[in-house]
Amino acid sequence: MPQNTFTKSKPCESITDLPSLGLEKEDFITDFKRYYSYRLGRDEHCRSPHYAYEALSLAVSDRLVERWKNTYNTYRESDCKKAYYLSMEFLMGRTLSNAMLNLGITGAVAEAMYDLGLEIEELIESEPDAGLGNGGLGRLAACFIDSCATLQLPVTGYGLRYEYGMFSQVIVNGEQVERPDHWLKNGNVWEIERPEYTHRIKFGGRVEQSVNERGVKRRSWVDTTDILAVPYDTPIPGYQNGTVNTLRLWKATATEEFNLEEFNAGDYAESVAAKNTAENISMVLYPNDANENGKSLRLQQQYLLASASLQDIVANWVGRHGNNFTHFAEKNCFQLNDTHPSVAVAELMRILMDTHGLKWAKAWEITRQTMAYTNHTLLPEALEKWSVSLFERLLPRLMEIIYEINAHFLAEVALHWPGDNERLARMSLIEEGSEKKVRMAYLAIVGSFSVNGVAELHSKLLQEGLFKDFYDLWPDKFNNKTNGVTPRRWLAACNPELAKFITEMIGDKWITDLSELKKLENFVNDKKFCKKWYELQQNAKQRLIDYKKTEFDIDLNVNALFDVQVKRFHEYKRQLLNVLHVIHLYDRIKRGDTENWTDRCVLIGGKAAPGYYMAKRIIKLINNISDVINNDPDVGEKLKLVFMPNYRVSAMEKICPGADLSEQISTAGKEASGTGNMKFMMNGALTIGTLDGANIEIREEVGDDNFFLFGLTEDEVEDLRHHYDPVNMINQDEDLQRVMNLLECGHFNQFEPGIFDDVINSIKSSGDPWMTIADFRSFVNAQKRVEAAYQDKDLWTRMSIINTANSGKFSTDRTIKNYSDEIWNLEPVAISK
Ligand code: HTE
């Protein structure tokens, strides 16, 4: 294994002292040519844009690494407090254009590429997405680390380096087919492997009692099967401020001696095969968003992340302070992105006690002062519970520690509520039953000093419902941190035309202080401004049309209302409600009810978890309906329904600038926050939405008049559950009856009888948890208000401006400032050269 330091043979000048790299056009031309010809060995006959992308990225990466070193050294010298964002997902998307923006070199590079006869857009487009996440939770982690760097906060992201990220989705005969996403196959110029920081991760074995030299009893975890965690670092630049933070991702590999033993036994092939078993652990991202994940391999992934990251941080501490942990909690803070890394609570206890000899009480104090937990969902099917028997087999020492944490905790509960045995059973970290299970959320709550939800309503529901017992015990632990998105990627980079116009009008301070956008409101009555705003929105729509045209043979009308719903497929998100409305519009056209018609393109995109049957059927339904509608000459321009395959970060960068209407239509109380809603709003789309998640706060910011509200409230949903009768509701509503008839008579599946029966039955069931039918009428009425507003171009444009102008709250800069001030307690660190 390479070492950190090596001996130089004679005194000489520093090997890292370098003149700083230039940022002018000529500098990029020179560096590009050198990388292209010498590092990559290509010439002008090479036809693939990939190598040009690589050559440019290497040149850009050099500038990042230069600043990265300064940042690293500044943090080390300042001995500042640090936070660590532990997450199983970082949905980074592409890096090149964001890196150029944050380095402030977009213009110089574009000119350099132009001079070389290259199209910068084409190079940007040839970068694969780093799709190391499922949806909102993973993308939030990516926006967070961007904001941390921009705010100059010493925060490191820790995650896993999956060989295969989120699958890519193709549609075959209307159905989702998953293709593996081998995103690393052409290499990754942005990462640096750091084998010198490898850590050993234990699995299996058993726990022994041993006594050390001084007669102190120790628990030892022995006879384990070990793997190695090797870190790969990616630079995370702040916005034009010299800070470059780190995203450290772990790859699992085999230990050397593990193989050696078998070599000696002569089992050469077996020993090489064993390498596979180890490397499997970080091989693939589980493609479930807010769904069940019960597999042993998944628990191994979670432990790999927790153990490698904590060992890394503790080793760094010990390197500087020896075995003295007195000030550890003042200097370190761990944010757990949902329960996925929450085994970290037990792992920190293990490291402090078993490796560094701390007593239980001291270790527990440190753990409880350093861990903070963010919950991202109320859905019961997404709450992690690991079977005790699996835990015992895979991580016996950790199971032991969890039992002990539980014993101490239940004693505290018993003291607080003497004799309340029911409460003890409810709150126990261990769920009793035919199969005992570890409740990971409870472990996270008990082991943390802070528990937060991700929007006002969600945090309130956590306190009143899911975590009520814990809130009663520790009300001060609970807090809200409303989500956001980074305005660099989600406005400045993805919508450069609009960004430029905004900057011309109000200056460029908005890029790092999004509340500045409020100044746009001063222009809502300025005719020229509004005209320009309208033109820019139309241009963005046209760009979206052109982008989609490369994928299918459909011509969309730029004057139609672009009505967009893009997100993971889940019943609670109610893509089905959208579909019912589309069928209703189709039905109106067919029966000639088209007076005052508003042309509409309904665009839907998103992936379904491969094992989520109902979600996949809904995708098929959308594709079938789309076939019927788009090919019906009676319908023509009036209505189009398009399913956009393989929705991902880089697709959203094109979609959100080109949307008129943003569909945020989840059943109230089910979408913890949503973040797509914020991207659309920032880019001037209007929202049609329920009182759910961050929609509530979006509506508060833009005002009632600039938001299309519909649907039951969370309270009403819960009340209605007891006497929900969707069949009766259908019978009471003629439009809905006609829609259901079209579905039930097989109008959209003439040659595939019965394939949508399960979908139809699910919404007609009185037990439908998502209550799609209940919100149909209210949704249709809201859509009518949308159409009326859209027909008044001036009104719509004004509303659009007001949406962008009031999106300031939804910058992750604000969110991260809240985390930093109220949970992490960090100070910004200016970078010295
Ligand atoms: C919420 C979404 C929120 C986002 O986090 C989500 N939670 C999960 N996925 C999300 O997108 C999640 C995934 C797996 C297990 C548990 C939760 O649904 C970021 O905006 O509303 O906070």
Side-chain angles (χ1 to χ4, degrees):
M1 195 183 302
Q3 295 299 303
N4 269 330
T5 53
F6 59 95
T7 321
K8 288 185 269 182
S9 53
K10 62 178 169 62
C12 57
E13 84 174 286
S14 158
I15 58 172
T16 53
D17 220 2
L18 284 160
S20 55
L21 296 167
L23 301 176
E24 305 298 326
K25 179 177 93 175
E26 289 71 26
D27 303 311
F28 291 108
I29 291 177
T30 309
D31 285 12
F32 177 94
K33 287 183 178 170
R34 198 181 60 247
Y35 279 121
Y36 193 76
S37 300
Y38 300 151
R39 174 72 185 73
L40 303 175
R42 309 288 141 165
D43 61 20
E44 61 274 22
H45 303 299
C46 174
R47 303 183 63 87
S48 159
H50 169 76
Y51 296 100
Y53 151 75
E54 263 199 352
L56 173 58
S57 297
L58 286 164
V60 172
S61 173
D62 288 349
R63 275 78 185 166
L64 290 175
V65 175
E66 198 184 3
R67 288 156 184 74
W68 206 1
K69 290 206 170 108
N70 292 334
T71 306
Y72 179 83
N73 290 331
T74 308
Y75 288 165
R76 208 190 30 210
E77 281 156 27
S78 84
D79 195 30
C80 51
K81 181 173 187 186
K82 289 187 188 152
Y84 309 92
Y85 200 75
L86 270 50
S87 177
M88 289 286 285
E89 304 188 11
F90 285 91
L91 229 185
M92 301 299 289
R94 290 175 176 153
T95 294
L96 176 57
S97 59
N98 185 249
M100 293 192 300
L101 175 74
N102 283 12
L103 286 168
I105 57 174
T106 309
V109 169
E111 285 172 25
M113 295 303 105
Y114 180 84
D115 282 10
L116 292 168
L118 297 167
E119 192 71 69
I120 182 79
E121 257 315 302
E122 195 186 2
L123 306 195
I124 289 171
E125 287 295 312
S126 65
E127 179 174 2
D129 277 38
L132 308 185
N134 276 284
L137 170 142
R139 182 56 229 176
L140 185 74
C143 286
F144 274 10
I145 55 176
D146 177 274
S147 280
C148 289
T150 293
L151 294 170
Q152 303 202 290
L153 297 173
V155 177
T156 299
Y158 275 104
L160 295 186
R161 181 179 176 276
Y162 304 106
E163 291 281 333
Y164 292 85
M166 188 61 205
F167 66 79
S168 87
Q169 177 195 55
V170 291
I171 299 297
V172 178
N173 188 28
E175 292 190 81
Q176 166 176 302
V177 173
E178 300 92 21
R179 297 265 165 82
D181 163 47
H182 196 191
W183 71 291
L184 293 167
K185 68 170 173 289
N186 295 318
N188 174 7
V189 298
W190 304 107
E191 67 182 9
I192 295 184
E193 183 184 357
R194 297 209 186 277
E196 66 273 32
Y197 299 114
T198 296
H199 297 282
R200 180 177 280 264
I201 314 295
K202 300 184 186 202
F203 288 104
R206 63 201 163 78
V207 184
E208 258 181 13
Q209 179 92 277
S210 61
V211 182
N212 77 359
E213 326 77 67
R214 283 171 290 133
V216 182
K217 280 189 198 155
R218 281 279 184 87
R219 302 294 288 169
S220 331
W221 185 5
V222 298
D223 291 346
T224 51
T225 307
D226 297 354
I227 63 145
L228 298 178
V230 182
Y232 287 71
D233 289 354
T234 301
I236 307 297
Y239 183 74
Q240 302 182 10
N241 62 6
T243 295
V244 176
N245 282 340
T246 301
L247 171 61
R248 176 161 285 188
L249 303 179
W250 301 103
K251 175 190 162 107
T253 70
T255 56
E256 284 141 34
E257 72 271 27
F258 190 87
N259 291 331
L260 249 185
E261 261 172 46
E262 296 194 30
F263 280 141
N264 293 339
D267 289 332
Y268 175 78
E270 279 72 14
S271 77
V272 177
K275 200 171 150 57
N276 265 320
T277 316
E279 301 206 335
N280 267 339
I281 297 182
S282 57
M283 192 60 69
V284 57
L285 166 79
Y286 276 88
N288 296 327
D289 187 75
N291 288 117
E292 181 70 29
N293 250 325
K295 295 278 183 358
S296 156
L297 182 63
R298 168 81 175 180
L299 182 55
Q300 294 175 54
Q301 292 186 339
Q302 297 186 348
Y303 184 62
L304 165 65
L305 169 63
S307 183
S309 310
L310 290 173
Q311 287 188 57
D312 204 39
I313 294 154
V314 172
N316 187 276
W317 179 267
V318 171
R320 296 169 59 123
H321 304 93
N323 244 348
N324 182 353
F325 286 88
T326 318
H327 300 291
F328 184 83
E330 288 158 39
K331 297 283 186 185
N332 297 283
C333 186
F334 307 100
Q335 191 71 42
L336 307 175
N337 198 20
D338 215 275
T339 54
H340 315 154
S342 62
V343 65
V345 168
E347 176 65 3
L348 184 56
M349 292 297 287
R350 187 191 70 82
I351 294 172
L352 294 176
M353 295 189 302
D354 298 3
T355 312
H356 298 285
L358 270 65
K359 295 259 170 51
W360 178 277
K362 187 69 208 162
W364 185 239
E365 189 185 311
I366 290 175
T367 300
R368 269 202 161 181
Q369 287 172 353
T370 51
M371 296 277 165
Y373 158 55
T374 306
N375 171 285
H376 294 267
T377 184
L378 295 151
L379 299 185
E381 61 267 40
L383 296 178
E384 292 193 299
K385 291 175 189 174
W386 288 108
S387 110
V388 166
S389 68
L390 174 65
F391 229 109
E392 245 151 19
R393 185 157 52 78
L394 227 48
L395 307 168
R397 177 59 182 135
L398 287 114
M399 192 62 241
E400 212 174 68
I401 291 170
I402 292 171
Y403 273 130
E404 190 156 345
I405 294 174
N406 198 34
H408 287 269
F409 166 62
L410 291 180
E412 190 179 339
V413 176
L415 213 70
H416 208 272
W417 288 285
D420 192 344
N421 287 333
E422 248 172 56
R423 190 184 290 262
L424 283 179
R426 272 201 322 261
M427 296 181 78
S428 173
L429 305 192
I430 309 296
E431 181 181 273
E432 301 293 334
S434 58
E435 200 188 6
K436 284 214 269 182
K437 289 181 171 171
V438 187
R439 295 161 163 158
M440 298 307 280
Y442 293 4
L443 175 63
I445 297 172
V446 172
S448 297
F449 68 89
S450 164
V451 177
N452 75 281
V454 292
E456 294 283 353
L457 174 70
H458 171 235
S459 297
K460 181 182 100 121
L461 294 175
L462 284 179
Q463 294 173 16
E464 292 174 353
L466 198 58
F467 298 153
K468 179 168 190 312
D469 289 327
F470 293 87
Y471 179 68
D472 289 346
L473 183 60
W474 299 310
D476 297 341
K477 264 196 202 190
F478 287 77
N479 64 92
N480 173 249
K481 296 285 167 284
T482 297
N483 283 168
V485 304
T486 169
R488 269 73 64 189
R489 183 175 297 257
W490 297 113
L491 182 52
C494 75
N495 204 345
E497 236 193 24
L498 186 64
K500 180 165 168 276
F501 178 55
I502 291 173
T503 297
E504 279 164 19
M505 301 310 294
I506 63 169
D508 67 359
K509 288 223 289 280
W510 62 271
I511 299 174
T512 50
D513 175 5
L514 205 64
S515 65
E516 285 278 311
L517 290 180
K518 188 81 186 168
K519 294 180 177 161
L520 293 172
E521 267 191 359
N522 299 333
F523 299 100
V524 285
N525 294 317
D526 175 334
K527 285 242 166 59
K528 244 179 78 194
F529 179 94
C530 292
K531 182 159 170 281
K532 179 80 181 185
W533 190 272
Y534 172 78
E535 277 169 24
L536 295 178
Q537 294 293 335
Q538 292 295 101
N539 292 350
K541 285 168 78 173
Q542 189 58 51
R543 282 194 299 274
L544 176 55
I545 293 172
D546 297 343
Y547 167 68
K548 281 290 132 195
K549 237 190 262 165
T550 62
E551 278 176 44
F552 358 62
D553 185 29
I554 186 161
D555 232 338
L556 301 179
N557 172 5
V558 74
N559 292 312
L561 171 71
F562 275 32
D563 170 348
V564 185
Q565 185 177 26
V566 283
K567 50 185 77 243
R568 285 301 289 258
F569 268 79
H570 201 298
E571 287 162 284
Y572 85 79
K573 295 179 188 280
R574 297 201 297 194
Q575 281 92 356
L576 267 179
L577 180 57
N578 195 355
V579 164
L580 295 182
H581 175 246
V582 172
I583 299 173
H584 167 63
L585 292 179
Y586 168 70
D587 178 48
R588 277 182 53 196
I589 296 169
K590 293 304 274 187
R591 68 186 197 225
D593 174 15
T594 57
E595 211 185 316
N596 252 325
W597 189 263
T598 304
D599 293 348
R600 191 190 284 253
C601 298
V602 180
L603 308 177
I604 302 179
K607 292 172 184 173
Y612 190 167
Y613 163 79
M614 203 62 95
K616 289 179 125 177
R617 267 302 140 91
I618 296 168
I619 291 178
K620 168 72 170 159
L621 175 62
I622 292 167
N623 281 297
N624 276 25
I625 296 173
S626 161
D627 257 1
V628 171
I629 290 180
N630 298 351
N631 294 310
D632 186 330
D634 293 350
V635 177
E637 297 256 286
K638 291 192 185 66
L639 181 62
K640 296 279 178 214
L641 174 61
V642 177
F643 185 86
M644 301 181 287
N646 205 27
Y647 175 61
R648 60 200 187 283
V649 173
S650 60
M652 185 56 156
E653 288 168 9
K654 286 157 185 112
I655 293 166
C656 71
D660 292 309
L661 185 66
S662 153
E663 298 268 355
Q664 308 299 337
I665 61 179
S666 52
T667 313
K670 299 301 172 193
E671 187 71 272
S673 165
T675 44
N677 46 5
M678 302 168 184
K679 296 164 197 167
F680 282 116
M681 174 202 201
M682 232 170 244
N683 284 276
L686 310 198
T687 305
I688 182 165
T690 48
L691 283 177
D692 199 16
N695 293 353
I696 296 174
E697 291 156 78
I698 287 178
R699 180 165 167 271
E700 254 164 42
E701 296 297 303
V702 297
D704 202 3
D705 294 345
N706 300 296
F707 186 103
F708 299 101
L709 179 68
F710 76 97
L712 299 176
T713 63
E714 193 272 328
D715 284 341
E716 289 165 347
V717 167
E718 292 313 314
D719 286 347
L720 183 60
R721 266 192 213 298
H722 311 293
H723 48 95
Y724 182 43
D725 186 355
V727 173
N728 185 47
M729 287 177 166
I730 293 167
N731 292 335
Q732 305 281 314
D733 187 322
E734 200 190 317
D735 289 335
L736 181 53
Q737 225 173 67
R738 294 176 62 97
V739 167
M740 294 308 289
N741 281 342
L742 280 169
L743 274 172
E744 289 177 328
C745 78
H747 189 77
F748 305 106
N749 52 319
Q750 297 205 354
F751 305 105
E752 300 162 300
I755 61 164
F756 298 129
D757 289 0
D758 293 327
V759 172
I760 296 165
N761 290 334
S762 75
I763 55 176
K764 287 176 75 176
S765 156
S766 61
D768 173 20
W770 322 117
M771 303 204 165
T772 301
I773 294 296
D775 278 343
F776 174 81
R777 179 44 52 193
S778 161
F779 185 51
V780 169
N781 291 340
Q783 290 285 14
K784 286 188 182 144
R785 302 200 302 275
V786 168
E787 285 158 8
Y790 191 70
Q791 291 195 359
D792 182 344
K793 290 242 144 20
D794 295 343
L795 172 66
W796 189 274
T797 300
R798 254 195 328 270
M799 292 168 82
S800 167
I801 295 165
I802 290 171
N803 266 267
T804 301
N806 290 289
S807 64
K809 175 174 178 185
F810 306 105
S811 165
T812 35
D813 297 347
R814 188 271 312 149
T815 311
I816 288 298
K817 185 151 193 329
N818 293 162
Y819 274 89
S820 180
D821 291 349
E822 296 160 25
I823 302 176
W824 305 336
N825 252 297
L826 301 178
E827 291 295 336
V829 179
I831 303 307
S832 49
K833 258 232 62 190

